[in-house]
Amino acid sequence: MKLGFYVNGLPVTVDTPPLRSLLSILREDLGLTGTKEGCGEGECGACAVHLEGELVKSCMVPAFQLSGRSVVTIEGISAQGPTGLQDAFLQEGAVQCGFCTPGFVMASEYLLRNDPAPNEAAIRKGLAGNLCRCTGYGSLLRGVQRAVAEGYTPRIFPPLSGEPFPEDSEMSRKSLEEEGIFLPRTLEEALKILETHGEDVLPVAGGTDILPDMVKGVRETPRKVMNLRGLAELEKLEYREESGALEIGAGVTFARIREHPLGARDLPALREMAAGVGAVAIQNMATLGGNLMTASAAGDAAPLLLALEGEAVFVSSRGERVIPMEDLYRGYRKTARQPSELLLKVRIPSRVFGSSQKFFKVGTRKALTISRLSLGCSAIEKAPGIFSRVRLGIGSVTPWPMLLPRASELLENRPLSMEYVKEAAAFLARDVVPRKDTAYRQEMIRNLICRFFAELLEKRVVQS
Amino acid sequence: MHHAGMIGGRIERNDAWEKLSGKAKYVDDLSFPFIWYGGTFRSPLCRGKIREIRRDPEFDWSSVVVVTSEDLPGPNEVAMVEMDHPILAEGEARFFGEPLALVGAPSKELLKKALEALTVEMEELPPLLDPREALKNLDMVRGKSNLFKEYAFSKGEPEKAFSEAEHVVELECTTPHQEQMYLEPQGMIAEPLEDGGVAIWGSMQCPYYALGALCHGLGLPPEKVRVRQTVTGGGFGGKEDYPSVLALHAALLARKAQRPVKMVLDRAEDISCTTKRHPSRSRLRAGFSGEGILQALEVDLLLDGGAYTTLSPVVLSRGVLHATGAYRVEHVRIRGRVVATNSPPNGAFRGFGAPQMLFGVERMMDAVARELSLDPAEVRRRNILRPGDTLPCGQQLRQPGASLVLQRALELSGYEEKRSKPRNVSKNRFRGLGISLYLHGGGFTGSGEEEIGGKLRLEASRKGILTIRTSSVEMGQGVSTIFAMIVTELLGVPYEKVLYGVPDTREVPDSGPTVASRTTMIVGKILQQACEGLAAELLQRGRTLFSEPRIRWENRQYILPEGEPLSFPEMLERVLASSEEDLLAWESAYTPIPGMGWDAEACRGDAYKDYSWGANVLEIEIDGDTLEISPLRLTSVVDVGTPLHPLLAAGQVEGGALQSLGYGYMEDIGYREGKYTKHRMATYAIPTILDTPVMKVSFDGIPFEYGPWGAKGLGELPMNGGAPAMAGAVEDALGIVPRDLPLTPQELFRLLAEKRETA
């Protein structure tokens, strides 16, 4: 495809296969080798760039999503000589082999642009998506702190130059379709495409689960791909009176979910879950819909949405279809979606707003981790120590995320004591038999259920 | 201008701006006109007879080149310590992923298709994977004995001492493969030269190793081979031996295609197929008094070498020579063996046998403490090496820094006060405190430095530019800066005018490999001598030029009996102008240290020129519900003689310490049935910034007489202390006894269950 977009303020056009990554385009077509490939699968952060001002991992951004958009790379940041941040890194010894360095500069610039005076915890969070093997991170942390102390302000990028790229013409869309790439402009168009091509088409939003695997040949490259990014109908995030629910569009990123005000007030577990997906750059790209529809057993969102009594709303040319979250998964990596449908949105009903809720995720490290176990919890305290609507969603221990089946039966509508909860938790944990590390994971499930209730019984959380 | 006072200062790295701005060119950033791409067709089995490599007739094979073992112009050997490592498997594949054939293609897409169009018919053989089974030699991995190497030596009368000891404790520990995970994957570019030779660019630690392997494997004389190191994104030992394999592969393809060929490993391939840290199993037995004084120690170290020798004998040697750790023991029996298995070959990784051995030794000291209900710090104090003590190999230590670093670490960390605090900080959170005391012999073992006879050349141009010509490579550790500092300090020239020449075998002498923590300690010393030699040479020339024998070189100046003193560049300009030369050069070679000797087979003599020492105090918190470990604070005090650049040196300590902690509790390669099941960055977890403890690093040292300004080895030392401190901290927090790494939550769970059962 012919791709026109902006790099470091200047317009560029390249001829590239539509699934090719932004990283490859920068390095191979444009000779901008400052952005590095350390892993090609969105882990190490050496490929980090700014895409329309957001920190993203360029190894996971496909060409067909770049049309007319603006990218800033390390070369752009460095164009006028060393920035105060780069100097701070130098002074603090934060540069050793240098391979991770451009990625850290991009991540730090992004952090400081959004938070000019971050504390240590915020700096660590902001850099958690970048790996370094040489420095032990101390000097990188001190470098950012030094820049902050010196009053460093990130450079604002000059406006884009050159004529704006023309809208993709009908002809270019047609030729892309012949290559198997669909770029619908509206949801209606997208649904029509699905009507015609059904199972042959793979819808792609953020692409973070999909693209790296495709590029590496771990997942078969689909014959046809449909871009969902930019479809306004999929990207709404709002509370709606009509449905009495928070409606999260399938195309909403975890970053937006994380920042939504309802997260602070009434849905703290939702914020917790969103903030734990990968790290900052992944949250900027990955969508709720992508996460749910990839249907990984270890997916982060489903266990919590199950606990929060979520509903999945599918849409096709024939209209909408609502199903409870429990019915979303039919088997290992199999969802209830019909070939002509798209996931439109997920609803979280207001009856769980302000519930006692928590999201636990246990991984192999504190960021950038596939979950070893996740547990989404929600309960509504009717009277002191008595709960209704107790729902516990588990992930990574069963072939697909599910509710612990006997949670209601064992934990609702009776005064709870910790001794009782411990016993009940043991029963609930034994209902699940993970294939690997069975005893350990059952123990963890038991402990986390106990931890959830212990906090409640100790604090007596009052609903809003 | 930067003159005196460089040493111990904070001069800026001289390679930082290229790295910060993205301008630095790593091998994958380079491209040549008409470049092709190379890939490797690999064995799908851990072990099997190769019947036939088949090409799918549907593919147009004329569009690519294929190289098999039948196309080799020289012996099918990658020159290393032994010659048993084939360039391409022939007859039998001995590890999963062993290279069977190479493909070169004009595009990456075509390369991928060509690799998919190759298949191999193999007759599967049962792999030998347990090193203990390998010892029995019933099933021989390479057709000859599976024992790559054995060392055995003793001191005193261990059996008698054991029988007389009041207490005896036995322990068995294991450690797994560890992946270096340098951020830049391995890569090479090869270009065929018109005279039949080959030029190589690549990410590597030892250009001369690659040169040797290329000459041997391609049957070429050294004049026809040129190896250049590109900016290298981390090595940690992983780019010590493997680059020889990759360079040969790229060269073979380049010669066949008559095109430049680039081979850069994809991360998953890099993890799956390059060398790792040797897994170990150590058995230790200690006899000690009621006061915890060690009287006898027996150590048996077994390393898994994988399918080919690579550097195994040297890893083993270092392991056994660190078998008594930082402690004095009169009666010792030490045995070490490294065997062949069908694991992918293991090789160099920071520490090189010492992290494995010291894990066992430190666990043993903690076992002694446990047995006698003594504080682990106290047990160490009571047994610590003192000035004048002799190691089992017979080396006498004039001034071991062990006490110094231990004392300081305990003070700085507030150990005593923290020790008295409760471990259970809240219902489900447990704090633990662990210590480790460790050492690392600097430079090559025994007479290795004498055998290498490293050389270095210093060139001074008329324009006042000093260029350092050495094969030691900058890979992040800071050598280009340290060496420029040394020249600046000694010759009084501006720092900005000292260049670090690209390690190019055409342009630099062989200073030896960039390994073994030798670069500052040994090669830095050679550089120091080269500076002195160059200044002396210029002095001679100056005296001749001015016909003035009274000129002196003092305080970075040429003092004339009359008139103003001349700086080095000023004298240089005058001398070279008069002789119409452009360059004054001086080459220095390693000077053996007087009074040191070594018997390799008997393991007797001065094992290392000197030792560096370290002590760690680690505080962790464990989540009782999930058994996840959070490292909170690490205090690390090291004796490296003199840190020439404390900021850069602290960076080595922090980085190595974190890598060592990762080894201890997080890094798990999932080795099963001869394969690394966790061979992606997503599955082989290394620490992120959120997993990093607050670190406090301090230098406290006893200078090494023969090191530049007293500097000793630094690079590997920090790798030796993290895992044992982690094990001690876990033991302290939960009352379980870790013996096997990594200490994942599942392992902690298993140990807790074991403890409950035995209770």
Side-chain angles (χ1 to χ4, degrees):
Chain A
M1 66 181 282
K2 274 215 169 6
L3 169 65
F5 68 121
Y6 296 91
V7 179
N8 298 325
L10 298 172
V12 298
T13 8
V14 295
D15 211 318
T16 175
L19 285 172
R20 194 132 161 277
S21 71
L22 171 59
L23 177 64
S24 297
I25 294 169
L26 289 171
R27 289 180 57 77
E28 293 166 20
D29 298 353
L30 302 176
L32 295 170
T33 57
T35 308
K36 307 295 181 197
E37 176 167 339
C39 72
E41 56 173 353
E43 291 293 315
C44 71
C47 70
V49 298
H50 297 168
L51 175 55
E52 296 187 316
E54 295 297 306
L55 184 74
V56 300
K57 294 185 174 180
S58 61
C59 70
M60 299 195 296
V61 180
F64 70 80
Q65 287 185 343
L66 285 171
S67 209
R69 297 171 78 191
S70 157
V71 173
V72 175
T73 69
I74 186 68
E75 287 89 350
I77 297 284
S78 312
Q80 287 154 45
T83 65
L85 173 74
Q86 286 165 317
D87 194 59
F89 274 171
L90 172 59
Q91 298 305 325
E92 290 298 329
V95 180
Q96 288 194 28
C97 85
F99 201 76
C100 76
T101 305
F104 269 96
V105 171
M106 301 311 288
S108 304
E109 285 279 323
Y110 179 71
L111 168 70
L112 294 178
R113 204 173 332 119
N114 290 305
D115 183 358
N119 61 15
E120 183 175 324
I123 297 173
R124 285 184 188 265
K125 234 194 176 133
L127 300 183
N130 290 71
L131 295 177
C132 174
R133 197 52 156 166
C134 294
T135 65
Y137 301 105
S139 52
L140 286 158
L141 174 68
R142 292 186 288 270
V144 176
Q145 288 173 323
R146 185 185 185 119
V148 172
E150 291 173 350
Y152 173 66
T153 348
R155 190 166 284 161
I156 303 295
F157 246 77
L160 301 178
S161 66
E163 290 296 313
F165 286 100
E167 275 269 345
D168 293 319
S169 64
E170 267 314 305
M171 236 182 61
S172 61
R173 276 172 189 278
K174 277 262 163 316
S175 83
L176 274 172
E177 277 173 35
E178 269 148 42
E179 286 185 70
I181 307 294
F182 297 93
L183 303 176
R185 274 162 296 206
T186 61
L187 178 60
E188 204 188 317
E189 260 184 61
L191 294 174
K192 277 213 194 72
I193 291 162
L194 285 178
E195 283 291 343
T196 318
H197 300 271
E199 259 165 30
D200 286 346
V201 168
L202 179 68
V204 175
T208 55
D209 263 332
I210 297 172
L211 200 74
D213 283 352
M214 285 201 304
V215 166
K216 289 188 174 304
V218 170
R219 177 198 279 256
E220 238 186 73
T221 310
R223 272 163 300 146
K224 299 175 189 168
V225 162
M226 177 167 71
N227 179 42
L228 295 180
R229 233 205 106 261
L231 292 180
E233 301 93 321
L234 295 180
E235 294 180 1
K236 297 190 193 157
L237 171 57
E238 58 192 353
Y239 174 76
R240 300 203 64 206
E241 284 294 341
E242 300 93 328
S243 54
L246 174 68
E247 300 201 340
I248 310 174
V252 173
T253 63
F254 285 100
R256 287 178 60 204
I257 295 173
R258 187 190 75 219
E259 295 306 312
H260 195 268
L262 261 174
R265 252 186 13 243
D266 296 322
L267 292 169
L270 187 66
R271 162 169 292 194
E272 246 181 307
M273 181 274 292
V277 172
V280 171
I282 307 272
Q283 290 160 28
N284 286 339
M285 296 169 68
T287 63
L288 180 62
N291 190 264
L292 290 174
M293 299 314 288
T294 293
S296 161
D300 287 343
L304 181 64
L305 292 174
L306 284 163
L308 293 178
E309 308 189 27
E311 286 178 328
V313 181
F314 286 101
V315 66
S316 69
S317 303
R318 271 157 274 135
E320 291 183 10
R321 180 170 75 95
V322 183
I323 59 172
M325 275 297 299
E326 299 93 287
D327 294 344
L328 178 61
Y329 297 118
R330 294 281 164 83
Y332 178 68
R333 296 216 169 212
K334 280 193 172 58
T335 70
R337 173 185 163 249
Q338 298 301 313
S340 60
E341 286 179 324
L342 277 178
L343 180 68
L344 175 64
K345 57 191 167 186
V346 168
R347 285 194 191 127
I348 301 178
S350 57
R351 61 178 175 274
V352 301
F353 290 9
S355 74
S356 308
Q357 55 183 249
K358 192 115 178 85
F359 179 69
F360 298 102
K361 176 176 174 180
V362 180
T364 53
R365 58 187 172 191
K366 296 198 166 34
L368 293 174
T369 180
I370 298 171
S371 137
R372 259 203 204 118
L373 176 117
S374 56
L375 181 71
C377 312
S378 180
I380 298 188
E381 195 165 18
K382 293 195 327 186
I386 303 179
F387 298 86
S388 67
R389 312 200 78 90
V390 174
R391 289 163 73 107
L392 305 171
I394 39 153
S396 302
V397 293
T398 48
W400 58 91
M402 50 184 75
L403 285 169
L404 286 174
R406 294 198 287 158
S408 300
E409 179 199 324
L410 293 177
L411 294 166
E412 283 179 2
N413 302 319
R414 67 176 77 219
L416 294 181
S417 67
M418 272 325 291
E419 300 89 85
Y420 174 78
V421 169
K422 282 189 184 134
E423 272 200 57
F427 272 103
L428 291 172
R430 282 200 289 274
D431 280 346
V432 170
V433 188
R435 257 185 327 123
K436 275 185 7 169
D437 300 320
T438 311
Y440 164 65
R441 283 157 142 188
Q442 284 175 337
E443 175 89 9
M444 272 209 296
I445 292 171
R446 207 194 73 167
N447 292 340
L448 291 176
I449 294 173
C450 288
R451 178 182 273 177
F452 174 62
F453 281 100
E455 277 177 33
L456 298 189
L457 294 177
E458 274 158 42
K459 276 197 318 213
R460 293 288 153 86
V461 176
V462 177
Q463 284 174 243
S464 60
Chain B
M1 298 271 264
H2 300 274
H3 290 153
M6 293 288 285
I7 303 299
R10 269 180 92 101
I11 194 71
E12 293 176 2
R13 281 185 79 113
N14 55 15
D15 60 348
W17 176 236
E18 302 96 78
K19 291 172 175 174
L20 282 162
S21 63
K23 290 193 179 61
K25 296 279 180 232
Y26 300 79
V27 66
D28 195 36
D29 301 330
L30 299 175
S31 195
F32 293 41
F34 312 115
I35 200 164
W36 276 30
Y37 300 91
T40 314
F41 177 63
R42 299 181 178 277
S43 168
L45 299 176
C46 306
R47 191 178 184 194
K49 290 217 183 305
I50 302 165
R51 292 270 168 254
E52 195 188 342
I53 297 175
R54 294 212 188 96
R55 307 183 188 200
D56 183 349
E58 300 286 309
F59 183 85
D60 176 13
W61 293 101
S62 70
S63 61
V64 302
V65 295
V66 178
V67 169
T68 66
S69 59
E70 286 158 25
D71 300 305
L72 302 176
N76 188 2
E77 293 167 355
V78 181
M80 291 192 193
V81 171
E82 296 289 336
M83 294 301 180
D84 65 337
H85 194 308
I87 299 172
L88 291 169
E90 202 172 336
E92 184 173 330
R94 297 188 178 93
F95 64 95
F96 177 75
E98 180 165 11
L100 302 177
L102 306 168
V103 176
S107 74
K108 291 184 187 176
E109 293 72 41
L110 198 58
L111 173 63
K112 188 160 176 264
K113 290 203 172 80
L115 286 168
E116 285 164 3
L118 287 173
T119 50
V120 60
E121 195 198 317
M122 291 178 75
E123 184 192 312
E124 189 159 3
L125 295 170
L128 179 58
L129 297 172
D130 188 338
R132 290 170 294 185
E133 288 303 309
L135 277 171
K136 298 174 190 167
N137 267 338
L138 300 172
D139 188 2
M140 297 195 291
V141 173
R142 315 165 298 154
K144 40 182 177 169
S145 162
N146 289 330
L147 186 66
F148 282 134
K149 191 74 185 176
E150 176 167 355
Y151 288 109
F153 56 101
S154 56
K155 173 178 136 177
E157 293 172 83
E159 270 326 304
K160 181 156 172 285
F162 273 115
S163 64
E164 291 169 0
E166 208 173 314
H167 299 267
V168 174
V169 162
E170 277 187 39
L171 182 63
E172 188 164 323
C173 294
T174 64
T175 65
H177 292 91
Q178 188 187 14
E179 160 59 41
Q180 296 86 349
M181 206 64 92
Y182 27 73
L183 258 284
E184 182 214 9
Q186 301 223 24
M188 291 286 158
I189 297 176
E191 186 187 28
L193 301 175
E194 274 175 24
D195 61 358
V198 69
I200 300 282
W201 288 257
S203 190
M204 65 181 86
Q205 295 174 227
C206 315
Y208 272 93
Y209 279 7
L211 179 75
L214 288 159
C215 291
H216 184 80
L218 301 176
L220 291 172
E223 311 81 70
K224 289 198 170 174
V225 179
R226 183 172 186 175
V227 178
R228 262 168 288 203
Q229 181 232 2
T230 49
V231 179
T232 296
F236 312 112
K239 294 176 182 171
E240 174 177 346
D241 48 343
Y242 197 78
S244 296
V245 176
L246 200 55
L248 272 164
H249 288 179
L252 286 164
L253 286 172
R255 277 153 58 103
K256 191 147 188 190
Q258 280 301 299
R259 299 249 189 254
V261 170
K262 179 191 272 194
M263 289 185 83
V264 173
L265 297 187
D266 164 84
R267 178 62 65 180
E269 189 181 14
D270 193 312
I271 297 175
S272 299
C273 307
T274 64
T275 57
K276 309 273 165 281
R277 185 183 297 291
H278 289 65
S280 78
R281 178 179 296 274
S282 53
R283 282 182 12 245
L284 298 104
R285 185 159 71 114
F288 48 100
S289 72
E291 285 78 49
I293 308 293
L294 287 176
Q295 285 145 347
L297 186 67
E298 183 175 6
V299 175
D300 191 305
L301 177 68
L302 180 59
L303 299 177
D304 181 347
Y308 301 115
T309 309
T310 70
L311 296 156
S312 295
V314 200
V315 176
L316 179 69
S317 155
R318 186 173 275 277
V320 297
L321 289 168
H322 285 67
T324 51
Y327 312 108
R328 58 208 312 255
V329 202
E330 224 184 292
H331 307 280
V332 174
R333 178 165 44 245
I334 298 167
R335 178 167 73 167
R337 286 169 295 181
V338 59
V339 292
T341 66
N342 292 110
S343 157
N346 294 305
F349 189 166
R350 197 175 198 174
F352 207 77
Q356 296 94 318
M357 187 73 263
L358 291 170
F359 178 67
V361 173
E362 288 298 280
R363 287 277 70 214
M364 176 51 87
M365 296 311 280
D366 289 337
V368 171
R370 192 168 55 245
E371 183 81 2
L372 298 176
S373 301
L374 285 173
D375 185 302
E378 183 55 28
V379 167
R380 285 166 169 84
R381 258 199 289 265
R382 292 182 186 180
N383 288 285
I384 212 163
L385 282 163
R386 298 180 212 149
D389 279 347
T390 309
L391 294 173
C393 61
Q395 179 167 17
Q396 192 181 49
L397 299 175
R398 270 204 345 260
Q399 262 206 292
S403 311
L404 190 63
V405 297
L406 179 62
Q407 171 85 342
R408 197 93 179 87
L410 296 174
E411 267 163 28
L412 271 180
S413 61
Y415 179 80
E416 293 306 329
E417 194 236 323
K418 288 192 171 135
R419 202 114 194 89
S420 57
K421 291 215 172 105
R423 294 297 177 265
N424 203 175
V425 293
S426 72
K427 199 152 62 70
N428 281 331
R429 291 191 196 282
F430 299 88
R431 290 263 169 115
L433 209 53
I435 64 172
S436 62
L437 182 61
Y438 49 101
L439 76 167
H440 200 83
F444 261 63
T445 305
S447 45
E449 293 300 336
E450 286 71 22
E451 278 150 31
I452 296 171
K455 298 198 220 7
L456 178 152
R457 189 170 66 251
L458 186 58
E459 295 168 359
S461 77
R462 259 181 85 168
K463 294 208 192 108
I465 306 284
L466 277 287
T467 306
I468 303 166
R469 304 284 187 192
T470 172
S471 64
S472 296
V473 314
E474 171 61 59
M475 49 177 170
Q477 86 284 48
V479 64
S480 69
T481 300
I482 297 290
F483 278 17
M485 272 172 60
I486 291 176
V487 175
T488 305
E489 175 79 24
L490 292 175
L491 299 183
V493 296
Y495 176 68
E496 300 75 37
K497 294 211 164 179
V498 182
L499 300 181
Y500 196 84
V502 172
D504 172 347
T505 55
R506 217 28 88 77
E507 316 242 297
V508 307
D510 188 358
S511 321
T514 318
V515 304
S517 308
R518 63 188 292 274
T519 302
T520 299
M521 180 186 185
I522 305 286
V523 188
K525 185 67 179 177
I526 303 173
L527 174 62
Q528 190 177 355
Q529 287 160 351
C531 291
E532 287 158 7
L534 192 64
E537 173 68 10
L538 189 58
L539 176 65
Q540 279 309 111
R541 304 272 288 252
R543 283 174 175 168
T544 306
L545 178 68
F546 290 103
S547 303
E548 177 50 86
R550 291 173 298 162
I551 302 179
R552 293 174 351 253
W553 167 250
E554 213 172 272
N555 284 331
R556 291 170 273 274
Q557 289 183 318
Y558 290 101
I559 316 287
L560 282 68
E562 281 135 26
E564 287 300 307
L566 294 175
S567 69
F568 183 94
E570 284 166 346
M571 178 63 91
L572 182 70
E573 215 286 315
R574 282 159 179 68
V575 163
L576 290 182
S578 84
S579 63
E580 291 178 359
E581 287 168 295
D582 290 317
L583 209 69
L584 186 69
W586 190 262
E587 188 164 300
S588 277
Y590 170 72
T591 313
I593 293 168
M596 288 199 148
W598 179 249
D599 178 342
E601 280 318 304
C603 276
R604 279 212 71 75
D606 300 300
Y608 296 94
K609 306 302 183 233
D610 205 347
Y611 297 82
S612 302
W613 307 85
N616 285 356
V617 177
L618 174 69
E619 285 172 73
I620 64 173
E621 185 172 288
I622 303 184
D623 181 324
D625 291 328
T626 62
L627 301 177
E628 289 166 288
I629 297 175
S630 298
L632 299 177
R633 259 174 298 277
L634 175 69
T635 303
S636 195
V637 178
V638 296
D639 165 19
V640 296
T642 309
L644 300 190
H645 190 307
L647 181 68
L648 295 192
Q652 287 298 291
V653 177
E654 292 190 340
L658 188 65
Q659 210 171 28
S660 183
L661 289 176
Y663 180 49
Y665 84 107
M666 185 186 282
E667 295 178 35
D668 180 8
I669 207 163
Y671 180 61
R672 271 192 282 291
E673 289 160 16
K675 298 177 198 163
Y676 303 128
T677 58
K678 300 190 178 164
H679 58 282
R680 293 167 45 209
M681 263 206 188
T683 48
Y684 182 95
I686 65 171
T688 69
I689 197 172
L690 286 175
D691 303 293
T692 304
V694 172
M695 294 203 213
K696 196 187 297 192
V697 173
S698 177
F699 293 98
D700 233 323
I702 294 160
F704 166 51
E705 196 184 328
Y706 298 97
W709 292 273
K712 296 191 284 204
L714 163 61
E716 292 170 282
L717 177 73
M719 192 80 220
N720 295 349
M726 177 59 77
V730 167
E731 178 168 338
D732 185 50
L734 299 179
I736 51 180
V737 182
R739 296 179 297 271
D740 308 297
L741 298 181
L743 298 174
T744 59
Q746 290 91 325
E747 176 61 14
L748 265 48
F749 182 76
R750 191 187 69 81
L751 289 168
L752 283 165
E754 206 178 78
K755 180 181 170 195
R756 277 196 300 270
E757 269 155 46
T758 51

